[in-house]
Amino acid sequence: MSAVVLTVGSELLQPGRIDTNSSWLVLRLLDAGVATAWRAAIGDDVDAIASFVRSARMAAPIVVVTGGLGPTEDDRTREALAAALGVPLERDETMVVTIEDLFRARGRTASERQHRQAEKPRGAAWIPNPLGSAPGILVAGGGRLLAALPGVPAEMQAMYDATVAPAVARLGTGPLARVTLRVAGRPESWVDEKLRDLYDTPGTETTILAGAGTVELLLTARGREAREAAERLAALEAAMRERLGDDLYGAGEDTLGSVVGGVLAARGLTLAVAESCTGGLLGAAITDVPGSSAWFRGGVIAYADEVKTGPLGIDPELLRRHGAVSAPVAAAMAAGVRRLLGVDLALAITGIAGPGGGTATKPVGTVHVALDDGASGASRLLDWPGDRALIRRRAVASALDLLRRSLLASG
C-alpha cells in the first residue's frame, strides 16, 4: 500500500520555507504501514493542483493534500479537487450554518468570504476541524482515499489523527515497525558494503542516507500483526549492530552530542572546547543537548592566532613552525582550553573551511581535531572536500566521534 502527499501554497516554493506538513504526514502514514511513493509542493494554481491530484490518484490508492482550504482568494484546493474528480463544486448550507455559529461563538460575524469554506466537490464528505473554521474534504470508496486538510499544522494534525488516520488504517497492509540506526566515522560506501546483503531480508526495507560525517540507516519491517513486524525489525537491527560494532553510535533520536553527554554525565566528567574554523558550531552541538550544563563548562573561539597564543597559551613558535592548521596546534589548543577552564577533557578544531585560504599542501577541507585528557591525547586529520558549511559540520561530527571512541576505549 502506498500514498502520495501533496502540499499546496505558493509560499512553500519560496527560498527558506520548509514544508513540515508533508514530513509529518509521511511518518504518520508509515505508522499505518503505508509508504509514501512521492510527495510534491504546488503553487496556488487550480490547473496545476488538479493535474497533480489526478497524477497522484493514478500513482497510489491514498492521497493526502494539505493547504488551500481557507477563505481567501488564493485558497484554490476546493476548486482543484472538483476539477480533478470531474464533478461540480457545491455549497453545503448546513456547513454554512456551522461556520456562522463558530464565528458567532467567538463574537464575530462570518462574511461571504468565510462561506467559501462550506464548498466541496459533489459526493465528498466533510472532515471536522476542531481547531479552526476550515473543514477538510474526504473522498473514500473502492479501496481508495483522497483527503484534503488545511495547511495550519495544528489543525492538519488534529484532523488527520481524528478522521484520516482510522481510514488509512483500514486500507493499510499491516503494521509497520521502524527504527533509525546512526553511524559515525565511516563513509556511506563503507557502510553500504558492510551491510549490503542484509538489504534483502524478507519483509524488511533499508534506506541508507549520508550526512555530514554521519550515516543514517532507516529500517522498516512489515508483518501481518505488530508482533511479527517488531520481531523482523529486531532481527535485522541485531544483525546490523553486530557488523557495525563501535561505528554505530546510536539509534532513534540519538545525536553524537547526546550520546557523548550521556557517558560524560554517567562518569562525572567535564568537557570544554576550543574552536577555530567551526566558530562555535561544536559548542552549539553540545549545548543542543538538554542538561548539558552538568558536564559542559564552555569554550574559546580561537579564530585569530592572537587568541590561540593569548587565552589558550600556545607558544608562538609552534604556530610559526607548523602553521595554525596542524596537528600540533590542534593538540595545543585542546590542552590550553582544558587548563584554562579546569576540565577533565577538551576538544579542539582547527582547519581551512574555504572557499579561500587553501594551499597545495593544505587544501580547503583540511581540518585537524584533537582531544586532551591531561595525560594523553588523540587527533584526526580530515581532508574531505565540500563547501564551507559541509566541511564545518563534518569537523564537528568528527570531533564528537573522536571523544566518543576515546570514552568507549577507556571503559
Side-chain angles (χ1 to χ4, degrees):
M1 182 67 65
S2 62
V4 171
V5 175
L6 304 176
T7 51
V8 175
S10 295
E11 71 279 2
L12 298 172
L13 305 178
Q14 299 302 312
R17 293 301 297 262
I18 299 176
D19 174 17
T20 58
N21 279 353
S22 65
S23 297
W24 186 89
L25 285 167
V26 167
L27 289 176
R28 293 295 283 115
L29 287 163
L30 275 176
D31 289 337
V34 178
T36 298
W38 51 274
R39 57 181 174 173
I42 316 157
D44 299 309
D45 180 85
V46 171
D47 292 339
I49 300 167
S51 177
F52 270 91
V53 170
R54 284 190 288 264
S55 296
R57 284 170 61 80
M58 292 176 61
I62 297 174
V63 178
V64 183
V65 184
T66 70
L69 293 179
T72 61
E73 187 61 30
D74 62 349
D75 290 312
R76 314 301 296 277
T77 297
R78 286 177 291 265
E79 294 92 329
L81 291 180
L85 296 169
V87 298
L89 194 64
E90 298 180 336
R91 177 169 294 193
D92 182 344
E93 294 302 328
T94 300
M95 182 55 69
V96 170
V97 173
T98 299
I99 292 172
E100 290 178 342
D101 289 344
L102 176 65
F103 274 75
R104 191 176 299 111
R106 296 174 178 176
R108 299 167 57 192
T109 300
S111 66
E112 178 59 29
R113 176 172 290 181
Q114 298 293 341
H115 292 164
R116 292 187 64 227
Q117 298 172 126
E119 297 174 351
K120 63 181 176 65
R122 177 180 292 173
W126 291 117
I127 299 174
N129 184 344
L131 302 178
S133 61
I137 296 170
L138 183 68
V139 179
R144 303 179 65 81
L145 174 71
L146 169 62
L149 303 166
V152 179
E155 296 179 23
M156 182 274 294
Q157 293 173 15
M159 296 164 71
Y160 180 91
D161 286 340
T163 303
V164 182
V168 169
R170 290 191 290 270
L171 296 178
T173 55
L176 200 70
R178 53 187 169 88
V179 70
T180 299
L181 301 183
R182 303 184 182 277
V183 180
R186 297 289 187 177
E188 181 185 17
S189 58
W190 184 94
V191 177
D192 182 70
E193 183 65 30
K194 197 82 170 176
L195 304 176
R196 187 176 299 167
D197 62 297
L198 296 176
Y199 296 169
D200 295 327
T201 302
T204 70
E205 181 178 340
T206 299
T207 301
I208 183 170
L209 301 172
T214 62
V215 176
E216 292 183 1
L217 292 158
L218 282 62
L219 314 184
T220 58
R222 195 182 305 277
R224 289 166 293 184
E225 55 186 33
R227 179 179 177 182
E228 182 179 35
E231 289 174 349
R232 285 178 174 171
L233 182 66
L236 178 61
E237 181 180 350
M240 289 189 173
R241 283 181 175 275
E242 182 177 2
R243 293 195 188 180
L244 292 170
D246 289 347
D247 296 314
L248 179 70
Y249 74 83
E253 299 303 314
D254 288 339
T255 65
L256 280 167
S258 68
V259 169
V260 165
V263 178
L264 293 174
R267 298 186 187 180
L269 299 173
T270 54
L271 175 71
V273 300
E275 304 180 59
S276 180
C277 66
T278 46
L281 293 179
L282 178 57
I286 291 168
T287 55
D288 275 344
V289 181
S292 55
S293 59
W295 46 271
F296 182 61
R297 292 296 177 263
V300 173
I301 310 302
Y303 212 66
D305 285 353
E306 292 80 3
V307 182
K308 296 180 178 71
T309 57
L312 296 184
I314 296 176
D315 186 348
E317 181 59 29
L318 190 70
L319 283 165
R320 284 192 291 269
R321 189 182 314 128
H322 298 284
V325 179
S326 63
V329 169
M333 289 171 63
V337 78
R338 185 188 59 77
R339 290 191 300 267
L340 178 68
L341 297 183
V343 294
D344 301 303
L345 300 162
L347 286 171
I349 300 175
T350 180
I352 305 170
T359 66
T361 56
K362 296 180 181 179
V364 170
T366 301
V367 178
H368 291 271
V369 299
L371 169 67
D372 187 89
D373 63 3
S376 61
S379 63
R380 281 183 183 174
L381 167 61
L382 315 177
D383 58 358
W384 294 321
D387 63 18
R388 183 177 180 84
L390 181 58
I391 290 168
R392 282 154 45 105
R393 288 163 54 208
R394 282 173 168 167
V396 168
S398 184
L400 290 171
D401 187 49
L402 178 65
L403 174 57
R404 179 185 71 90
R405 291 177 187 269
S406 176
L407 291 169
L408 286 173
S410 64

